Amino acid sequence: MSWGFRARVFVVVALVAAAAVGATAWLTVRATRAEFAESAAVEKRVVDGVYDTLNVYGVKHGTWEGVVGPVVRLGRSTGQRIRLTTLSGEVVVDTDTEAARTARPVTRRPSGALDPRQIILRADGETETALPAGPSGADTAGPPLKAFQARIAFYRQALRLRACLTRRGGLDLDSVEAARWPKDTLRSGVPPGFPSEAVHGCVRLSGNSVAELGGDDRATENCLVLLRRDPATRPTNAPGSARKNTPAGGSANRPAAPPTTVSRASPSTEVQACAEQMLQQRLEGVAPEPLLLWLGYGQTTGQRTFQPARVITAAVVVAVLVIACTLLLSRRVLAPIGALAAAARRLGAGDLSERVAVRGRDEIAELARSFNRMADSLQRSEEAQHRMVSDIAHELRTPLANIRGYLEALHDGVLEPDPDLVLSLLEEAVLQQRLIDDLQDLALAESGALRMLRTPLDVRELLETSRVAHRAVAESHGVELGVAADVVPPVNADPDRLRQVIGNLVTNALAATPPGGTVTLRASSAGGVVKIQVVDTGRGIAPDELRNVFDRFWRADSARGRATGGRGLGLSIAQGIVQAHGGSLVAESEPGRGSTFTIVLPRADARTEPE
């Protein structure tokens, strides 16, 4: 691997890393500034959400009792520390305390003041029973204020009823929608699922007293008196302004106060403002008391500021580290690739013994292992090719030399052409023809071009035929040849070719089995295949030689004498024929105890091979 390519890889990766880190730093600076800019808005949304949720709780339950659970859940959902205190500073609930941790310092100012009466005012203004918006004076304001007085009596009774039901427990008051006040199910009748005894018991305790109703009358009269005064002296309070008087600042330390500003509004607005002031006063002491809402905790280390220099410094450090790691990684990756390239060049030049060192278990190591396996395969193929050429030359040299010698003697008149000599030469020629035919069959089988005539074949009948054909040879060797076959399904095979395979295996087994031994032909079926086995009790094959039994010209006798039998092509041809049938041929052996050759073929009804 040239340094030029390594340098290019390093430069490209370094530039990409620097660009990525720079872009990340720029985006971080921009996003952080945006976060700082939006933090106030986010905090306001959180404050408003907590504010509304707790105010609605006060309206639905008529009391702050049981507010601990909702506050804890709000703290978990918003991630905020929430603290509620009375106006005098008494703590009602603190999520720090509920979480069994020491309460942290509070902020300098509360986030707001909770007053459920604001929810009642807002909901009342959204119903069809709200005060009319047309022009009105003191004389025409009487009936609307009287109607609003009746609603105040209802609100007072409803709040007491809800507080009573909350204290009794077991009732799901949160199912009542506060935004539809006062048109909820507590206004008339018993809501579904509520025990009627509990509701009726609380109804008896929540009624308005005569003194309270008289106070409502006096408040209404006071409103009418105020409306008859000179407009320049009338107080006003626009709808919903009570909440605006309690921002998240110092004014939140007290509940909403009666308005004192000079009014320049329309008569209908003045009536509405007077009605709201009356509701604030008449529900005081009945509605849940105002509470101060504190969110978060005080900062003891001063206000945090954004410092871009730190982000830039961190980005530079990260870029340097990335570049250094890139350099190390390039050396780690490219060095093994360089070694592989050098080994491949030597392998291509003819050095088949070239191998590379394998280190680790990563992809580079797997590439090195694959290269070594490829080199092993090439070396074995080269050696097999050399052996095959040598074996063919060996098989042909001696008989051709004999034939040539006899022919030269006949030509020179040294020998007379008698019938025995001609017969001997003919036998030698036939043997060479068989060798050439075997080589041709082997080549056709390996290339998949071996012609076969397949038909459903009875395996037991095939084995019995093979036993009869080789019985004479077995008896001459003093070996018992038998068949032990189960009833198996037929196979789709060429009878002549399969008989050739079994004949080769039986011949080899008889040659390897001493007198008194046995050779058994077996057949069995399992799943979708049929197994045919040739089992002998002969001398067996050594483990280091067993992997070569299907190689061309391999013989168990390493001396390779012609007296040992065939030409060493039988098992190679047998394996090619079986594989052409879509099956497999495997060998198992144990020295001194015999060998087993197993043919595995698909059943005729399981798979049909094309001819």
Side-chain angles (χ1 to χ4, degrees), residues 16 42 138 209 262 299 304 321 349 353 376-377 384 386 398 420 433 448 519 560:
V16 171
V42 173
S209 65
V262 176
Q299 295 288 341
R304 292 176 295 177
L321 291 177
S353 63
D376 291 338
S377 177
H386 286 307
T398 301
D420 293 335
Q433 181 65 43
V519 175
R560 298 170 51 86

Side-chain angles (χ1 to χ4, degrees), residues 347-361:
L347 187 68
D351 185 5
L352 298 180
S353 63
E354 182 64 30
R355 301 293 185 274
V356 294
V358 179
R359 298 183 181 90
R361 298 179 177 273

